[in-house]
Amino acid sequence: MNGATPTVSTTVRDGVATIRLDRPDRNNAIDPAMCRDLREATTRLAEDPSVRVVVLGGNGPLFTAGGDITVFASTPGGQLPGVLRRMVDDYHAALDRLAGLEIPLVAAVHGAAAGGGLGMVYAADVAIAAEDAVFTVGHGKLGLTPDGGLTWFLPRLVGLRRAQEMLLLHRKLTAAEALGWGLLTRVVPADRLEDETATLARRLADGPSGAIGGQRRLLRHSFDTGLREQLAAEQATMVHAAGSREVAEGIRAFTERRAPDFVRAIPAQDAGQSNRVTLSSPA
């Protein structure tokens, strides 16, 4: 699946898919072409059974500056609603596909993550950032309301009051603050970001893909499910997993006092059947 579109580059190596925003001259600002390219890239990725983990990053000085204001400014006012509708439709389809994947998602942020681009960070299971990274929303400064799932993810990650502060008062967070608020998993020196991200991605890729997918699905639904339904879902997911070759390998490795080899436990084509996107899942 290795390849590139005009604004997004994609590589797959040893089970790790890397999607990089690729408009470095525009600080990876999100324009209509990038939204389309993200939708296309995530569609291809969801169909690739060899992928066991996805890494989101950006080329150039920033992860993303958010929406491309030059597009907004150059669009006649009467046409802007239609342009935004098409952009957000493509972008939200990409986010929904990423959020619904049965494999883990890692976001690596350097420089800044802004505007709707924050949705890619929030959707990740593991979010790692360089010490000098900053995080800001900024829609309100343009008179716009948020996109990228911000109003869904933010209250769940940081609570309502802090979400209100970021959205209504345009609070900009340093990486340390974002870590303290619960937006990030880890903060590392800028020169260690690539290596730390690769290490985390490898660890996830070598893990039990079936169990990770089940955990991701359970967590995704937990905020919208009552306790009784969640308990039933946990039971069903565990019972289903118990018959898998991954569990057999995990138990065998434990009794033999060795590290489990989950990658060899399930052939790529079999793992692909259980790791693909669930389109009905909430973003």
Side-chain angles (χ1 to χ4, degrees), residues 29-205:
I30 302 171
D31 67 349
M34 181 176 283
C35 293
R36 290 192 301 270
D37 292 344
L38 279 169
R39 185 171 191 165
E40 178 183 333
T42 55
T43 298
R44 294 198 313 270
L45 179 151
E47 297 169 351
D48 188 339
S50 72
V51 177
R52 297 176 64 90
V53 62
V54 180
V55 176
L56 293 173
N59 291 328
L62 302 185
F63 178 77
T64 176
D68 192 338
I69 298 178
T70 62
V71 172
F72 307 158
S74 63
T75 301
Q79 298 177 23
L80 186 58
V83 170
L84 286 176
R85 179 182 294 276
R86 290 187 292 273
M87 281 182 63
V88 174
D89 183 60
D90 286 334
Y91 183 47
H92 283 186
L95 286 179
D96 186 53
R97 197 169 290 275
L98 288 172
L101 285 171
E102 296 289 288
I103 51 179
L105 181 65
V106 179
V109 181
H110 68 287
L118 285 166
M120 289 180 278
V121 181
Y122 299 155
D125 303 287
V126 177
I128 183 170
E131 289 176 334
D132 59 355
V134 296
F135 301 80
T136 184
V137 179
H139 292 82
K141 293 181 179 180
L142 300 176
L144 289 171
T145 54
D147 66 329
L150 270 59
T151 59
W152 193 90
F153 286 113
L154 260 181
R156 287 162 169 77
L157 289 170
V158 306
L160 180 59
R161 286 292 179 234
R162 283 178 164 172
Q164 289 166 326
E165 184 174 359
M166 284 194 73
L167 293 172
L168 305 181
L169 300 179
H170 316 301
R171 172 70 180 270
K172 179 186 291 186
L173 300 180
T174 65
E177 289 171 329
L179 179 65
W181 279 29
L183 294 180
L184 298 174
T185 308
R186 188 175 301 179
V187 173
V188 300
D191 61 358
R192 291 289 304 161
L193 181 63
E194 291 292 328
D195 288 343
E196 291 288 338
T197 301
T199 298
L200 284 171
R202 184 73 266 149
R203 178 178 175 182
L204 288 167

